Amino acid sequence: MSLPFDPTAASTAYQQALKVIESVEPTVAGAIRGELADQRASLKLIASENYASPAVLLTMGTWMSDKYAEGTIGHRFYAGCQNIDTVEQAAAEHAKALFGAPHAYVQPHSGIDANLVAFWAILAQRIEAPALAEHGAKHVNDLSDADWETLRRALGNQRALGMSLDAGGHLTHGFRPNISGKMFEQRSYGTDPMTGLLDYDQVRKAAHEFKPLVLIAGYSAYPRKVNFATMREIADEVGATLMVDMAHFAGLVAGKVFTGDFDPVAHAHVVTTTTHKSLRGPRGGMVLCQPEYADAVDRGCPMVLGGPMGHVMAAKAVAIAEARQPSFQTYARNVADNAVALAEGLMRRGAKIVTDGTENHLVLIDVTSFGLTGRQAESALLDSGIVTNRNAIPNDPNGAWYTSGVRIGTPALTSRGFDTDDFDRVAELIVDVLSATEPASTSAGAPSKAKYVLADGVVDKTHAAANELLEANPLYPGIDLG
Ligand code: DSN
């Protein structure tokens, strides 16, 4: 396994912790044991999941959780925050050093929270600050009711341009069901219909026509790298702030797989991320930004965030310290190489994948080539011990619920130690299962987008083959829960 830890110390820590939990609520202790057993027993291919180190996980189970610390480092609305200051400072300093960022804000509880902090910071810096200056005011409370009403309407009347959902963009990039779509007037850019690749001319044209305040780059289901230098050029041409959501590929940025034009931190005004995906930290979010956005970003709590979670910020510090080790660069390189092996293994066996390849940590299979919906494919793979998630593909005929794609990623199994040969075998298992799956009808005889039948024997055969791979690459080897 590519995670560094001492199995004897970790076993003792977990055994004792479970005893303490069991004495109060055995159901919870049982579920914790069950979750490790389940994770050990399946091929986890969900592109947004990973396995954090025992040091990261154990850091979260401490009394750092018990403290309120609204505000920022050294400037809190509560007394006695010196230890929270220490861990928040450590996490922010590690993040600045790892990513080469001028400023890091590590309080967001999730990626959605990080994006909300970023949106409000951009609105504060670009719209609110000039309005206050125009009126000689320092604070919104200094404005007359009429001036505040004008500003409030201006804050709620701005534009964002982001990648369309079916091209791989994220719901929080200005789409109607999400609060970002209610805050901003939104327009999307898509991908080239022939190649599936991001079309920078189309982005440029949309930006010039729409003139957004925020140009959003980043994705959760696009299997290619993005040229952030070009995105910044486009943003500058139209006076937009470039915001990059690197939640999915933060580990590849940290591990120096994405450098130069492909490093978002070097080019964007504001970068958001989660910390638990390819970055392999605790569940949470983070914002990195240029100095002119720092004060506004630091007002994230209580602007849009509840009290910062000291135990999670502490775990972020531990995880980002791990990511600064040279071994993390090897891990990130392996994540990308394994994705190429997975994509090539799938295509060699006849599967159709979006963009005919990958340059990051994920592959999007177009399962219509197997005559299936994403929902049917996801369920058949799960029956066989392969955990994935269904996902829309560009111009998806089956919509966002049933979908026509299955998204698979390499970060978790690479943490487990899988190499390119192992991922080629995973590709074979996936194609075997999908080839052996047939759509089925509803009980009334109508075609179903959810029901399916698997050929006899496939589930057992795939489980057996998956177990061989899993046993050769054990999860948290040596950790015994007693
Ligand atoms: N839920 C995350 C993912 O799976 O990509 C993004 O929100």
Side-chain angles (χ1 to χ4, degrees), residues 211-274:
K211 303 227 173 342
L213 179 78
V214 194
L215 174 61
I216 307 169
Y219 52 78
S220 56
Y222 177 66
R224 295 282 170 172
K225 54 189 183 183
V226 172
N227 187 322
F228 297 110
T230 302
M231 294 302 269
R232 175 61 187 261
E233 268 172 35
I234 296 170
D236 286 347
E237 284 164 18
V238 299
T241 296
L242 178 61
M243 170 177 154
V244 177
D245 179 345
M246 66 168 183
H248 259 264
F249 50 90
L252 300 184
V253 181
K256 312 298 175 214
V257 174
F258 288 173
T259 56
D261 289 353
F262 304 97
D263 173 0
V265 185
H267 300 287
H269 299 92
V270 182
V271 177
T272 61
T273 187
T274 50

Side-chain angles (χ1 to χ4, degrees), residues 20-339:
V20 174
I21 298 164
E22 245 148 25
S23 70
V24 180
E25 177 41 297
T27 313
V28 169
I32 293 170
R33 289 177 185 280
E35 185 58 29
L36 179 58
D38 289 351
Q39 295 210 18
R40 279 179 161 162
S42 59
L43 286 172
K44 171 146 101 161
L45 287 166
I46 291 182
S48 49
E49 293 187 5
N50 210 329
Y51 303 108
S53 74
V56 169
L57 298 175
L58 287 165
T59 302
M60 283 187 280
T62 68
W63 28 91
M64 299 304 279
S65 167
D66 293 339
K67 191 80 194 86
Y68 249 119
E70 286 180 20
T72 48
I73 301 162
H75 187 75
R76 309 281 183 186
F77 291 90
Y78 293 83
C81 293
Q82 57 278 7
N83 296 306
I84 304 293
D85 280 350
T86 300
V87 299
E88 183 169 351
Q89 182 86 44
E93 291 303 327
H94 280 309
K96 282 161 49 179
L98 176 64
F99 291 107
H103 185 71
Y105 181 65
V106 298
Q107 292 189 13
H109 311 320
S110 69
I112 289 184
D113 287 356
N115 285 349
L116 273 178
V117 170
F119 287 139
W120 280 108
I122 294 165
L123 288 166
Q125 169 68 12
R126 297 283 312 275
I127 306 298
E128 187 175 281
L132 292 178
E134 186 190 325
H135 292 96
K138 281 207 161 61
H139 191 273
V140 285
N141 287 344
D142 302 333
L143 296 176
S144 68
D145 286 352
D147 289 338
W148 166 240
E149 186 54 24
T150 305
L151 172 56
R152 200 181 64 77
R153 284 170 192 267
L155 289 167
N157 196 24
Q158 298 301 322
R159 292 175 166 177
L161 175 65
M163 192 173 200
S164 69
L165 271 181
D166 69 352
H170 194 257
L171 198 64
T172 59
H173 297 176
F175 292 93
R176 286 182 194 181
N178 182 260
I179 188 168
S180 57
K182 304 177 206 302
M183 285 168 59
F184 288 106
E185 183 188 349
Q186 199 266 5
R187 193 174 289 182
S188 302
Y189 55 84
T191 46
D192 182 289
M194 299 303 290
T195 62
L197 298 173
L198 191 52
D199 176 349
Y200 295 95
D201 290 340
Q202 191 201 125
V203 181
R204 178 171 270 113
K205 186 164 177 282
H208 279 266
E209 280 171 14
F210 190 52
K211 303 227 173 342
L213 179 78
V214 194
L215 174 61
I216 307 169
Y219 52 78
S220 56
Y222 177 66
R224 295 282 170 172
K225 54 189 183 183
V226 172
N227 187 322
F228 297 110
T230 302
M231 294 302 269
R232 175 61 187 261
E233 268 172 35
I234 296 170
D236 286 347
E237 284 164 18
V238 299
T241 296
L242 178 61
M243 170 177 154
V244 177
D245 179 345
M246 66 168 183
H248 259 264
F249 50 90
L252 300 184
V253 181
K256 312 298 175 214
V257 174
F258 288 173
T259 56
D261 289 353
F262 304 97
D263 173 0
V265 185
H267 300 287
H269 299 92
V270 182
V271 177
T272 61
T273 187
T274 50
T275 45
H276 51 272
K277 297 187 175 88
S278 53
L279 192 54
R280 209 164 65 181
R283 192 156 291 280
M286 183 162 70
V287 182
L288 308 172
C289 67
Q290 294 300 314
E292 64 271 28
Y293 289 91
D295 286 347
V297 163
D298 281 350
R299 291 204 295 274
C301 168
M303 173 72 85
V304 294
L305 298 175
M309 299 201 260
H311 57 311
V312 181
M313 293 194 295
K316 287 173 186 171
V318 173
I320 303 169
E322 287 176 351
R324 291 183 69 190
Q325 298 299 315
S327 58
F328 194 86
Q329 295 192 13
T330 308
Y331 165 69
R333 186 71 262 160
N334 291 343
V335 165
D337 289 348
N338 285 340

Side-chain angles (χ1 to χ4, degrees), residues 1 3-15 40 54-55 58 475-482:
M1 185 161 201
L3 285 172
F5 63 91
D6 170 349
T8 309
S11 294
T12 306
Y14 285 117
Q15 285 174 16
R40 279 179 161 162
L58 287 165
L475 176 60
Y476 302 121
I479 292 188
D480 172 8
L481 300 187

